[in-house]
Amino acid sequence: MATLAEMSERLFKRFKGVPNITLEDATDWTEDAMQEHGFTVVSNVPADKERLILLYAQAQGAHQIAISTAHYFTYTDGEEQVDKSMISENYRNLAEDLRNQYDRLRAEGAGGGSKFKAMRRLDR
């Protein structure tokens, strides 16, 4: 069982290399993820739901960073060049990857989902 503070700290450690991300940001993302999954901010999250909630919070965090970096630019001056235009794109791709991991984990943990696969016919 994990508390909001413990999960926020874990999330903050995952984003520690990102400039301007604070523990408050990580706490907000974790709160949103907990509420999305039916937990209150004072409740303890069962161990089997921690990874699911943290993946959701990570995806939300990456999406928020992508939004805040969308205004970045490319600048060229003679021999010097600064290109920050792809930062937002990279965070959007990261958010999408995290969301896909979240969806897979949720399907596995929430009843398994449908695992039916139809084989391709050999005569075609």
Side-chain angles (χ1 to χ4, degrees), residues 69-113:
T69 60
H71 68 280
Y72 283 9
F73 58 90
T74 301
Y75 174 76
T76 305
D77 181 27
E79 294 178 15
E80 293 183 35
Q81 181 177 1
V82 176
D83 187 1
K84 293 188 175 187
S85 61
M86 294 301 293
I87 291 175
S88 181
E89 177 80 21
N90 291 338
Y91 277 110
R92 282 192 294 120
N93 290 338
L94 175 62
E96 184 179 337
D97 289 344
L98 290 167
R99 188 58 180 219
N100 289 338
Q101 287 179 27
Y102 166 80
D103 290 339
R104 277 195 306 273
L105 185 63
R106 187 167 186 184
E108 291 171 6

Side-chain angles (χ1 to χ4, degrees), residues 19 21 61-72 88 91:
I21 298 300
H63 187 71
Q64 289 294 323
I65 295 168
I67 290 171
S68 66
T69 60
H71 68 280
Y72 283 9
S88 181
Y91 277 110

Side-chain angles (χ1 to χ4, degrees), residues 8-107:
S8 297
E9 186 67 34
R10 285 173 57 191
L11 184 64
F12 181 62
K13 286 179 184 177
R14 293 179 185 186
F15 283 94
K16 69 180 176 186
V18 180
N20 302 323
I21 298 300
T22 64
L23 182 58
E24 183 179 333
D25 295 326
T27 302
D28 289 343
W29 299 333
T30 307
E31 280 181 22
D32 291 345
M34 287 176 66
Q35 290 173 353
E36 183 69 28
H37 290 87
F39 296 100
T40 63
V41 294
V42 295
S43 62
N44 290 334
V45 177
D48 63 329
K49 299 288 185 186
E50 287 178 26
R51 184 168 174 229
L52 186 69
I53 290 173
L54 283 175
L55 270 173
Y56 187 89
Q58 276 182 282
Q60 290 300 101
H63 187 71
Q64 289 294 323
I65 295 168
I67 290 171
S68 66
T69 60
H71 68 280
Y72 283 9
F73 58 90
T74 301
Y75 174 76
T76 305
D77 181 27
E79 294 178 15
E80 293 183 35
Q81 181 177 1
V82 176
D83 187 1
K84 293 188 175 187
S85 61
M86 294 301 293
I87 291 175
S88 181
E89 177 80 21
N90 291 338
Y91 277 110
R92 282 192 294 120
N93 290 338
L94 175 62
E96 184 179 337
D97 289 344
L98 290 167
R99 188 58 180 219
N100 289 338
Q101 287 179 27
Y102 166 80
D103 290 339
R104 277 195 306 273
L105 185 63
R106 187 167 186 184

Side-chain angles (χ1 to χ4, degrees), residues 109-121:
S114 176
K115 302 274 184 192
F116 177 79
K117 288 188 179 182
M119 298 270 307
R120 193 172 145 231
R121 289 188 53 167

